[in-house]
Amino acid sequence: MAGLVTTFGAGAMTNSIHEIREADFLFVIGSNTSEAHPIIAMEMKRAVRRGAKLVVADPRSIWMTTIADRHLPLKPGTDVWLLNAMAQVIIAEGLSDENFIAQSTEGYEALAERVANYTPEEAEKITGVAAADIRATARAYATTRKAGIYYTLGITEHTHGTDNVYALSNLVLLTGHLGSRSTGLNPLRGQNNVQGANDAGASPIFFPDYQSVGDPEIQAKYEAAWGCSLSSEPGLNLNQMMKVAGSKIRAFFIMGEDIVMSEPNVAVLEEGLNAMDFVVIQDIFLTETARFADVVLPAACFAEKDGTFTNSERRVQLVRKAVEPPGEARADWRILIDIARASGADWDYQSPADIYAELVHEAPNFAGISHERIDSEGIGLQWPCPTSDHPGTKFLHEGGVLRGKGLFQAVDYKPSVEIADSDYPLVLSTGRTLYHYNAATQTTRSAGLPEKQPEAFVELHRKDAGQRGISDGDLVEVLSRRGSLRCRAQVSRQVRRGCIWMPFHFADSRANLLTVDQGDAVTGTAEYKVCATEVRLLAAAAADDKTLFPGAFWGEPGGATSSAT
Amino acid sequence: MYTRSDSPAMTHDKKTRAHVPELLQQLGQPSAAGVDAVARHTGVPAADVFGVESFYSLLDQRDLKTRVCTGLSCRLAGAEDLLKACDKARLETAPTSCIAACDRPPAMLRERRVVCEVTTGDVLESQGSFEKLYSAAGSDWRGSIWPATADEGESLLNLAAAPNWSAAGYAKALEIGPEAVIQALEEAGLQGRGGAGFPAHIKWSAVRGEAEPVKYIVLNGDEAEPGTFKDREIMLRRPDLVLDGLAIAAHAVGAGEVWLYLRGEFEIPREIMERAVAAAEEEERYGDLAFHFHSGHGAYICGEETALLESLEGRRGMPRHKPPFPTAQGLWGKPTLIHNVETIALVPTILLRGAEFFRQAGKTQPGTKLYCLSGHVARPGVYEMPLGVSLDELVEAAGGYIGELKAFSPGGASSGFLPASERARPLDFQALAEVDSMLGSAGVVVLNEGVNMAWAAAEQLEFFERESCGQCAPCRIGTAYQRASLERFREDGDAQALEHVDNIAWEMIEGSICGLGQTASLPLTSALRHFPEDFVANSSGGAPQ
Amino acid sequence: MSAPDQILVDDQTLKFCPGETILDATRRAGCSLPTLCHDPRLEPVGACRSCLVEVKGQRRLMPACKTPASPGMQIETRNERVLRHQRVLLSLYLSDHVGDPSECEDGAPCELHALAKDLGNLPVLVPLQRKHKPRADRNPFIEFRSERCIACARCVRYCDEVEGVNAITLTGRGLHTTISTASGISLYDSTCELCGGCVDVCPTGAMAEKMPLSAGAAPERELEKVRTTCNYCGVGCQMDLNVDRAAAAGRGQVVKVTSPPAGTAPSDGNLCVKGRFAYDFIDHPDRLSTPLLRGADGNLHPASWEAALERTAAGLQEVAKKHGADALAFVSSARCTMEENYLVQKLSRAVFGTNNVHQCAAT
């Protein structure tokens, strides 16, 4: 979010999902779209059928490359080199939109100077992508009017994730590919309400609608609205919280996250959790993290409550209660009210619609949206939607960049914090598969999906496998400086030589035992895409012994492993 | 992991798909591994490859070494006995639709090679070995023709003459230019010989007039209308005329490539045409004009021009909607001139001997016509006669009827049956349309008084049911329903079983996408109309003696 | 002479836009033409023949779905010829279909039976009684029931044109035309991504959801549909939870998920494998149904809400008192609603006085 807020003034997809099918050029980077966003992939397929050109930049030969005109198989973590080289080509070949740059941007000179040395030939050495492919992609992007860029966590889950977003923004500003249908920069959100959680102010630095907690006027506004005094001190981001868990942070309230599955370098995190004074977990299942909880509050799932999710394209949509929650479980919003009241506050909301009305009251971009309006119009509304008669906004920046002027952010390539060496020569990236979702708490409890994809695996290149005497289906051990786990080897044409890939869904083989916990300087988002590893074949005898699985948990979830009491 | 077989349909090279059927043909018996191999080789999705395999009878059952033709003429000549003999000789076989050998029945298929005039004795002596059977039965596929000797006078196609490789017609076309060629066709009044009788020059002008620079010529050599075998005879005897005609067409409409689509059972004609093309290319007779061959794989529907184009593109042979017509969007979406073999073969003669000569050669409509005569006549064969001769005139040339004439099909199964009273009617496009029949491909099948028309109709209905492509419901279900109705009548003798026949026939005409469904009821409805005595309750619906 | 953007349909003048077919124009005007193989997401093929209309000047009936509207076109959609065609056509379809509507519609409603009912007065044909081989496929989601299939190929075209994986094909010929994977392998072993789009587009319930059928769930028309937003990725597909109100001891049970109509934003009526099929977790026995408190024995024990809320408030307040408000951290969730995220940050800021509130999706 922060990257796009800085460069364009709004941290969201610039365009609507429906516009993807009309694009003439699609640049997909760091997104395994067909598995992580199948529906977006359908739109892209539609565009390709129509004759649109598709370029996929990804270290792996993902499915999308099978329909792409060009695949740029960059080495993990070298995105800035690739993108700066594209910027260099656009500038050097005179393909930039000079009018747009002059009228609607600032910081161009610094960028032009910075990228001058990022030639495609040099980029080829670092990224592994042929200079000719970089040139051709840059030209096609710059010269196609309806050109859209699509990215996900392959861009952002790096220590330099914000730099990557800046480098993408630069391409957009150079070409003026902004502010019209099918043309823009589009982060595809990985979870149902990523956009909404940020929009609603679940952020250490923003109130709802990206209003800064450090801005005295905003602070005063919320103090008046909520009738209390508020801290102007920015809070800790998630990455920072995790690192000081058990030291500076002494109590956690955790709603709907399984942090020991999702956070990096979990061995260290678990030590911290053991040292906490107090942990509250609010969830629908007894998660792995619940082993550290003092209180576990049973929540309702999406089918059992009312509310709204805001999707990737800024569309606020209704969630409707279909069935009653099991036993005494309650909707999260109801529990939160209960906690506030037990803590002395006099919260008095009758329904999610009430809460939403309060939210938008102080949030100008959402002010025209209400539950009633979405319900009566039968379709979600896309912000900005400042008034109740505003139709919502299909694509951003139509009347000019929302920030006022688009801000070029010259960035330099920084190597990933951990690079492959002789001890750990293989670069691990992690990600999602089509058949599971995040910590798989829901998908492993849904019939059929576990059978289609029952266990963790690591994809590795044929030659890397051969060197280590590993065949397809062998049980292997994957090691990093932080930990190790065991899983099946999948000898694959998808990964490039020297790289391996794992899904992060499986509790028995938690990829996050391996990953690096260093976060991006701006957002705190951790490096899930690059860490140095080695893979070893496990002897058959060891393979049979289930108790040897070091990636598994020792006890059952909820067992007596917390020292908090 | 994504192998190429996983790549979606949207990305593979369209022209590579054309090779799918022949690649399948080269593999042994159908298997999942074979389908996968073809998918990987071509980039076509495995499911699509399987869809193709299962559509064509010669691919779907390609491990079957022999088949027995069950077309009407072959049945009249004892196809049923052959099937029984095969059983007795433990020769694995299956019935197949007409294989264009009605003049020399009964015929069998050895893989893709037609074997004529097979006797039950041949079969029994083969002792289960189809190699033996093949060496016993005749392998030369040429049948008898009329005129039987080379005749430069009346005959336009002159089948009895030796091929003439001088390409005189093509030279003439180069001399007079495309516009004049098309004008000559118009003046000659050449109508398509494939069945519809559509004026040829209109198609030629249309293709020529398209702005798209890439154009194709397609030769429709998928001769599969039951009772028809004239194109076979042209290719066996006069490949020169076919090539010349194709080259003239390419020159006139501005096409650079020619595709010859021959039915899969035309292995022998294909060899002859391939030799002719090789020689022409060797001496660059037609400049840089490129000729390509594509075999059918056992599907009658592919004789329909748009189904043929689908098949040529390596897909299931399901007809397209018209418009757009192939002249605007044909093969791979490009303007395409598609003609029957006979139509194409007539073109050089029109240029060389003049439009007027062509007009005069016809009796009621311009030109001569190759009539395929089979069934109860003395000398079945291909008869080149003035367009518009009557059945009696035709059969007279063939040495007369065997037995008393009861009924005849003037233009293959699709033309239904006419009674003996129509024996003097001109066999042309117009006169036959007037009695709800058609000249079609001029596959004239003669039936004598020994034939029960319920039996004859049943055979034809089975044919249409088997050959319906399945795309549209009126044909897919209608053909099956009509067949089932007649079957119930023949089993129970209950005329009630036929009560919906007319209603369904009406719907098949109104609702079917292509000509197959529109004509598929005609054998039954025409038999009901002209031979009600064969459909009275409890009449015997048995086979002829 | 009529206006350049008008056609005449059954004596009613309709406007059309360039590129529209007769079907598009009539649908927009609210006229209902029957269709079986049509889906707005797919290229029209005109194969089912149910939308044939009479166009003046054309000898043959024309498929409205595939025939472009042109200025001044005169179209009859309800004359005797068109109605006779529709009746005989539907009777043919029904002669090769599960004839009894209640037997046929054990899962999804059947569009064929619905059309037949609307039209009425169909000739009654003798059923063809074709033999169908039951087809076992070990995938747990999708079942193909060939006796209901009308070979409209919506599923095949969807798999090609929308999902783009080409896992299924039309196979066979004539009456034996049906749907299959390559060589009849399991969908699990094919390129299928189990999106279930084939089930969604099937007009007759031939492609069906396996789970509700094998669980003996009530037919779809007896279920209550609740439109909601998918809870997986950030696309926010709209979907209908099909609820059996009486099930799960009166709590109600989601027994099936169906898509809204094509054209519904944001996903055009499409869903993926997770959205359409991964709903079992809702009723999973592992669901938490009571608050838990960690006891002196180190284990979690069921507790009352009162006790749990009291302990929560006290635990957080104690730490704040001892170490300051900034020793608290609130982890909110991109999985929860806007309202809940709003309340968490308000709880953190207004009730406990810290800006330490975040969630894992901030990039």
Side-chain angles (χ1 to χ4, degrees):
Chain A
M1 304 284 164
L4 290 181
V5 174
T6 306
T7 55
F8 296 167
M13 265 178 87
T14 57
N15 299 89
S16 290
I17 291 164
H18 189 74
E19 295 169 21
I20 298 173
R21 63 178 68 180
E22 296 164 23
D24 295 325
F25 181 86
L26 302 100
F27 184 52
V28 174
I29 180 164
S31 161
N32 184 8
T33 324
S34 63
E35 298 213 44
H37 295 91
I39 301 298
I40 302 275
M42 285 183 190
E43 293 285 329
M44 292 176 175
K45 291 167 189 172
R46 214 172 248 281
V48 169
R49 278 186 89 87
R50 253 189 50 244
K53 299 283 173 238
L54 169 67
V55 175
V56 176
D58 199 288
R60 292 196 299 153
S61 299
I62 52 173
W63 189 94
M64 294 304 289
T65 64
T66 67
I67 61 165
D69 291 274
R70 211 177 286 278
H71 173 208
L72 313 181
L74 77 169
K75 290 178 185 159
T78 62
D79 310 74
V80 166
W81 251 106
L82 175 72
L83 300 172
N84 275 359
M86 284 173 62
Q88 192 270 346
V89 171
I90 290 169
I91 293 171
E93 299 193 1
L95 302 174
S96 48
D97 183 339
E98 283 165 21
N99 276 339
F100 183 86
I101 293 171
Q103 286 164 18
S104 309
T105 69
E106 53 188 303
Y108 172 72
E109 282 70 25
L111 174 84
E113 196 181 323
R114 187 72 60 91
V115 301
N117 293 326
Y118 283 81
T119 63
E121 282 67 27
E122 286 301 306
E124 178 171 343
K125 293 178 194 160
I126 309 285
T127 62
V129 179
D133 282 336
I134 298 174
R135 279 213 168 79
T137 305
R139 286 174 191 151
Y141 172 69
T143 56
T144 310
R145 203 179 58 81
K146 283 189 166 187
I149 300 175
Y150 307 88
Y151 69 91
T152 59
L153 305 179
I155 281 293
T156 51
E157 283 186 351
H158 289 288
T159 43
H160 46 263
T162 301
D163 287 353
N164 289 342
V165 175
Y166 288 157
L168 284 170
S169 302
N170 292 339
L171 294 178
V172 173
L173 295 176
L174 275 176
T175 54
H177 284 337
L178 196 65
S180 58
R181 276 181 82 81
S182 314
T183 309
L185 182 55
N186 296 288
L188 310 175
R189 301 304 186 192
Q191 297 174 76
N192 51 328
N193 200 29
V194 170
Q195 191 67 50
N198 287 282
D199 294 352
S203 156
I205 52 172
F206 294 127
F207 287 112
D209 199 7
Y210 307 94
Q211 302 176 88
S212 175
V213 295
D215 181 332
E217 261 179 54
I218 301 294
Q219 187 189 359
K221 178 170 93 170
Y222 274 99
E223 285 181 339
W226 291 347
C228 61
S229 64
L230 295 169
S231 164
S232 60
E233 198 63 27
L236 300 179
N237 65 37
L238 191 69
N239 187 255
Q240 293 162 335
M241 288 177 190
M242 296 302 142
K243 282 190 180 157
V244 296
S247 53
K248 191 167 172 275
I249 296 292
R250 308 296 310 168
F252 259 135
F253 172 85
I254 302 171
M255 174 177 82
E257 298 264 353
D258 195 2
I259 57 171
V260 303
M261 284 297 293
S262 59
E263 294 306 304
N265 195 7
V266 289
V268 172
L269 171 61
E270 289 189 4
E271 276 177 40
L273 284 169
N274 271 329
M276 294 290 287
D277 292 340
F278 189 63
V279 176
V280 183
I281 303 280
Q282 180 172 315
D283 215 309
I284 63 172
F285 289 109
L286 202 56
T287 59
E288 308 298 350
T289 311
R291 286 182 293 124
F292 303 93
D294 299 283
V295 181
V296 177
L297 304 173
C301 77
F302 84 115
E304 298 153 353
K305 62 186 178 187
D306 291 315
T308 53
F309 294 153
T310 302
N311 77 352
S312 263
E313 51 167 10
R314 302 164 274 104
R315 191 185 296 276
V316 183
Q317 306 191 102
L318 284 181
V319 179
R320 290 188 179 87
K321 180 173 174 174
V323 294
E324 295 295 329
E328 295 178 44
R330 294 181 186 175
D332 296 87
W333 62 271
R334 173 66 65 194
I335 302 172
L336 291 165
I337 294 170
D338 293 343
I339 294 171
R341 293 175 73 93
S343 306
D346 63 342
W347 288 8
D348 184 24
Y349 305 97
Q350 295 308 305
S351 67
D354 275 3
I355 303 167
Y356 196 81
E358 180 180 304
L359 190 170
V360 303
H361 197 261
E362 312 298 337
N365 278 315
F366 319 142
I369 305 175
S370 67
H371 282 221
E372 293 72 18
R373 192 175 162 198
I374 299 170
D375 195 40
S376 69
E377 294 184 11
I379 184 173
L381 286 159
Q382 288 173 282
W383 65 256
C385 179
T387 56
S388 58
D389 55 358
H390 188 284
T393 306
K394 291 194 182 317
F395 53 89
L396 299 177
H397 314 295
E398 186 174 15
V401 182
L402 288 172
R403 188 181 168 274
K405 290 202 169 199
L407 180 62
F408 281 109
Q409 287 281 61
V411 289
D412 266 321
Y413 169 70
K414 299 180 198 80
S416 300
V417 285
E418 186 172 85
I419 50 177
D421 54 30
S422 55
D423 290 340
Y424 297 96
L426 300 172
V427 177
L428 166 72
S429 302
T430 63
R432 181 185 291 174
T433 74
L434 175 63
Y435 298 102
H436 288 292
Y437 184 83
N438 292 8
T441 38
Q442 291 180 12
T443 49
T444 52
R445 291 181 176 94
S446 289
L449 293 174
E451 286 118 68
K452 178 84 184 179
Q453 205 167 69
E455 58 179 356
F457 57 88
V458 57
E459 285 185 0
L460 70 173
H461 189 273
R462 187 172 50 82
K463 288 192 174 154
D464 292 328
Q467 268 176 4
R468 292 163 176 79
I470 296 169
S471 313
D472 195 49
D474 280 348
L475 200 58
V476 295
E477 184 174 24
V478 187
L479 311 93
S480 79
R481 289 195 168 79
R482 287 154 299 280
S484 69
L485 56 82
R486 295 178 185 188
C487 63
R488 296 274 165 205
Q490 191 167 309
V491 179
S492 168
R493 278 194 244 165
Q494 275 209 66
V495 285
R496 53 179 298 150
R497 189 109 199 256
C499 293
I500 63 173
W501 186 90
M502 281 192 76
F504 50 54
H505 307 300
F506 299 95
D508 284 350
S509 301
R510 288 185 296 163
N512 282 325
L513 285 162
L514 309 173
T515 46
V516 183
D517 60 357
Q518 186 155 339
D520 178 81
V522 178
T523 61
T525 302
E527 177 67 84
Y528 291 98
K529 300 298 182 189
V530 180
C531 87
T533 55
E534 175 58 300
V535 180
R536 284 193 208 132
L537 180 65
L538 276 180
D544 285 339
D545 186 354
K546 293 274 185 201
T547 60
L548 288 180
F549 272 62
F553 298 105
W554 321 310
E556 290 302 305
T561 52
S562 171
S563 61
T565 43
Chain B
M1 189 198 305
Y2 300 107
T3 59
R4 286 199 64 194
S5 68
D6 294 343
S7 59
M10 66 179 94
T11 50
H12 71 262
D13 176 10
K14 273 186 182 174
K15 291 201 173 180
T16 314
R17 189 186 269 256
H19 300 298
V20 164
E22 60 177 289
L23 288 169
L24 285 167
Q25 184 193 338
Q26 287 161 16
L27 298 170
Q29 64 185 45
S31 69
V35 166
D36 270 352
V38 172
R40 268 196 301 278
H41 189 78
T42 56
V44 174
D48 286 17
V49 172
F50 179 68
V52 168
E53 180 178 76
S54 64
F55 185 85
Y56 297 96
S57 62
L58 292 177
L59 295 178
D60 190 37
Q61 282 188 288
R62 59 179 175 268
D63 43 348
L64 193 62
K65 302 293 185 196
T66 67
R67 290 172 169 83
V68 175
C69 176
T70 52
L72 190 49
S73 299
C74 284
R75 285 215 192 190
L76 292 172
E80 311 278 358
D81 296 337
L82 272 191
L83 281 167
K84 282 181 203 143
C86 286
D87 256 5
K88 211 178 265 178
R90 290 189 304 281
L91 197 65
E92 199 194 334
T93 191
T96 187
S97 298
C98 179
I99 51 178
C102 322
D103 52 339
R104 299 179 59 193
M108 288 182 69
L109 200 56
R110 183 230 180 197
E111 294 188 34
R112 292 176 174 233
R113 217 163 253 264
V114 173
V115 191
C116 301
E117 291 160 9
V118 187
T119 65
T120 51
D122 295 337
V123 171
L124 293 173
E125 279 160 33
S126 73
Q127 295 165 319
S129 153
F130 64 86
E131 284 88 356
K132 270 193 190 161
L133 171 67
Y134 182 57
S135 60
S139 66
D140 177 9
W141 200 5
R142 290 202 238 180
S144 70
I145 51 168
W146 173 277
T149 52
D151 172 7
E152 292 292 336
E154 300 294 306
S155 169
L156 296 180
L157 287 167
N158 203 2
L159 291 180
N164 174 349
W165 302 109
S166 66
Y170 178 65
K172 177 87 179 183
L174 293 184
E175 181 197 321
I176 63 175
E179 303 287 355
V181 170
I182 296 174
Q183 201 185 335
L185 298 188
E186 183 174 1
E187 285 166 10
L190 176 65
Q191 292 166 280
R193 260 49 177 171
F198 190 76
H201 73 274
I202 296 179
K203 294 211 277 191
W204 291 47
S205 303
V207 177
R208 178 169 170 74
E210 288 288 334
E212 163 67 48
V214 177
K215 295 170 184 173
Y216 298 109
I217 306 292
V218 173
L219 179 75
N220 184 346
D222 193 57
E223 184 172 49
E225 180 66 38
T228 312
F229 43 89
K230 63 188 174 65
D231 295 339
R232 174 203 86 193
E233 210 61 28
I234 296 172
M235 290 188 282
L236 291 175
R237 293 171 184 271
R238 294 302 304 270
D240 56 320
L241 292 179
V242 180
L243 288 196
D244 243 20
L246 290 169
I248 294 166
H251 174 64
V253 305
E257 282 182 69
V258 175
W259 288 82
L260 295 89
Y261 185 106
L262 309 188
R263 66 180 296 185
E265 297 85 346
F266 275 3
E267 212 169 66
I268 299 167
R270 175 166 168 164
E271 284 163 11
I272 289 169
M273 291 305 302
E274 276 177 339
R275 276 201 297 276
V277 163
E281 285 181 344
E282 173 77 31
E283 59 185 71
E284 294 176 9
R285 196 186 302 148
Y286 305 115
D288 56 2
L289 184 61
F291 292 89
H292 311 281
F293 283 85
H294 190 104
S295 277
H297 297 273
Y300 163 73
I301 187 59
C302 294
E304 198 282 337
E305 59 178 3
T306 57
L308 184 148
L309 294 175
E310 288 286 299
S311 178
L312 218 167
E313 292 179 7
R315 301 169 191 277
R316 297 162 58 80
M318 303 196 301
R320 300 174 183 172
H321 274 267
K322 293 186 275 194
F325 291 95
T327 51
Q329 287 175 43
L331 191 58
W332 294 300
K334 305 295 184 190
T336 301
L337 180 70
I338 175 164
H339 267 308
N340 174 258
V341 176
E342 185 183 352
T343 318
I344 281 290
L346 284 167
V347 169
T349 313
I350 291 173
L351 295 193
L352 291 172
R353 300 176 74 173
E356 191 49 31
F357 181 83
F358 182 85
R359 290 194 85 88
Q360 293 302 325
K363 189 172 175 191
T364 57
Q365 287 182 308
T368 59
K369 179 79 193 81
L370 295 188
Y371 292 96
C372 314
L373 194 56
S374 68
H376 291 133
V377 295
R379 278 195 306 275
V382 175
Y383 289 77
E384 186 183 2
M385 306 274 275
L387 183 52
V389 295
S390 69
L391 179 71
D392 278 345
E393 289 167 312
L394 188 57
V395 175
E396 192 190 336
Y401 296 101
I402 296 173
E404 186 67 35
L405 173 66
K406 176 174 181 178
F408 66 104
S409 270
S414 305
S415 65
F417 297 108
L418 289 175
S421 58
E422 298 291 349
R423 60 201 304 160
R425 179 171 288 274
L427 300 176
D428 70 15
F429 294 107
Q430 197 188 331
L432 288 166
E434 284 165 9
V435 286
D436 295 333
S437 180
M438 60 179 184
L439 178 61
S441 53
V444 184
V445 183
V446 174
L447 305 177
N448 68 17
E449 77 288 349
V451 177
N452 175 289
M453 295 311 292
W455 172 85
E459 192 282 322
Q460 307 286 50
L461 293 192
E462 278 169 37
F463 165 79
F464 285 119
E465 182 188 7
R466 187 166 59 235
E467 298 295 343
S468 166
C469 82
Q471 182 181 198
C472 69
C475 174
R476 179 179 71 237
I477 308 173
T479 52
Y481 196 87
Q482 301 287 53
R483 189 263 312 141
S485 298
L486 182 54
E487 202 170 274
R488 275 200 308 280
F489 164 74
R490 295 183 66 219
E491 279 166 8
D492 309 340
D494 178 5
Q496 191 69 15
L498 301 172
E499 70 166 313
H500 293 294
V501 163
D502 284 336
N503 213 6
I504 290 169
W506 179 88
E507 168 56 19
M508 289 169 71
I509 292 167
E510 291 285 13
S512 295
I513 293 174
C514 81
L516 192 157
Q518 289 160 30
T519 57
S521 287
L522 209 49
L524 179 57
T525 52
S526 62
L528 277 166
R529 177 166 147 204
H530 299 302
F531 309 96
E533 66 278 11
D534 285 359
F535 293 90
V536 293
N538 298 313
S539 74
S540 150
Q545 300 311 303
Chain C
M1 190 61 209
S2 57
D5 61 346
Q6 287 183 347
I7 54 175
L8 197 66
V9 180
D10 301 331
D11 302 325
Q12 187 190 350
T13 303
L14 298 184
K15 274 198 187 295
F16 69 94
C17 310
E20 275 194 328
T21 62
I22 297 175
L23 184 68
D24 296 333
T26 51
R27 286 246 159 121
R28 214 162 27 75
C31 312
S32 72
L33 275 174
T35 58
L36 288 167
C37 68
H38 184 72
D39 185 293
R41 289 165 291 194
L42 307 175
E43 289 288 320
V45 291
C48 78
R49 316 306 284 165
S50 36
C51 72
L52 298 189
V53 293
E54 193 172 290
V55 177
K56 192 173 178 190
Q58 294 287 339
R59 191 173 53 85
R60 309 215 56 213
L61 296 176
M62 305 292 283
C65 68
K66 234 184 129 61
T67 308
S70 65
M73 211 176 221
Q74 294 178 37
I75 297 150
E76 300 265 3
T77 72
R78 286 193 292 265
N79 67 16
E80 205 179 318
R81 181 182 177 201
V82 173
L83 288 177
R84 179 181 176 193
H85 151 70
Q86 290 176 357
R87 291 203 166 93
V88 185
L89 176 72
L90 287 178
S91 70
L92 274 171
Y93 272 120
L94 287 172
S95 75
D96 187 39
H97 196 66
V98 178
D100 174 9
S102 62
E103 186 191 340
C104 181
E105 299 177 312
D106 57 349
C110 175
E111 293 178 23
L112 183 57
H113 279 296
L115 288 181
K117 199 176 156 213
D118 283 353
L119 200 57
N121 283 326
L122 264 51
V124 180
L125 302 187
V126 181
L128 280 174
Q129 294 185 311
R130 188 149 60 95
K131 296 273 181 296
H132 291 270
K133 266 185 267 170
R135 213 178 303 162
D137 186 322
R138 66 177 210 285
N139 92 79
F141 301 135
I142 300 167
E143 185 170 329
F144 177 60
R145 308 186 292 171
S146 62
E147 69 283 358
R148 285 169 177 76
C149 177
I150 58 166
C152 67
R154 269 205 225 171
C155 54
V156 172
R157 290 181 289 134
Y158 184 93
C159 196
D160 173 18
E161 296 174 29
V162 180
E163 177 69 357
V165 298
N166 301 87
I168 51 175
T169 178
L170 279 175
T171 177
R173 198 163 81 189
L175 194 62
H176 305 289
T177 306
T178 186
I179 312 298
S180 173
T181 54
S183 309
I185 58 176
S186 164
L187 281 177
Y188 255 5
D189 303 323
S190 74
T191 50
C192 174
E193 294 184 345
L194 300 168
C195 74
C198 51
V199 175
D200 172 45
V201 296
C202 181
T204 58
M207 286 283 177
E209 294 95 342
K210 220 177 214 180
M211 292 187 288
L213 285 176
S214 59
E220 194 174 311
R221 63 184 136 72
E222 292 171 23
L223 302 173
E224 182 186 331
K225 284 181 196 281
V226 179
R227 175 71 47 87
T228 191
T229 305
C230 178
N231 87 132
Y232 288 102
C233 83
V235 171
C237 297
Q238 295 299 285
M239 58 199 226
D240 290 334
L241 302 178
N242 287 233
V243 177
D244 184 340
R245 277 276 157 248
R251 275 200 294 121
Q253 190 181 8
V254 176
V255 297
K256 174 194 290 206
V257 172
T258 53
S259 333
T264 307
S267 59
D268 202 6
N270 302 310
L271 289 174
C272 77
V273 58
K274 284 178 279 219
R276 193 183 302 276
F277 294 119
Y279 54 84
D280 263 17
F281 74 90
I282 299 172
D283 279 304
H284 199 277
D286 288 356
R287 280 291 301 277
L288 289 169
S289 59
T290 172
L292 303 172
L293 295 180
R294 195 165 300 276
D297 60 357
N299 288 324
L300 290 169
H301 298 284
S304 70
W305 270 109
E306 206 177 12
L309 290 168
E310 196 178 305
R311 174 97 168 261
T312 300
L316 293 172
Q317 281 166 338
E318 246 169 59
V319 171
K321 205 163 156 193
K322 206 147 93 188
H323 302 284
D326 285 341
L328 302 180
F330 291 79
V331 180
S332 189
S333 176
R335 312 277 293 120
C336 292
T337 63
M338 291 286 289
E339 293 75 8
E340 288 154 356
N341 276 282
Y342 176 79
L343 290 187
V344 171
Q345 61 93 35
K346 188 175 174 186
L347 185 70
S348 166
R349 294 185 165 118
V351 180
F352 289 98
T354 176
N355 281 320
N356 288 342
V357 54
H358 210 190
Q359 25 75 38
C360 85
T363 42

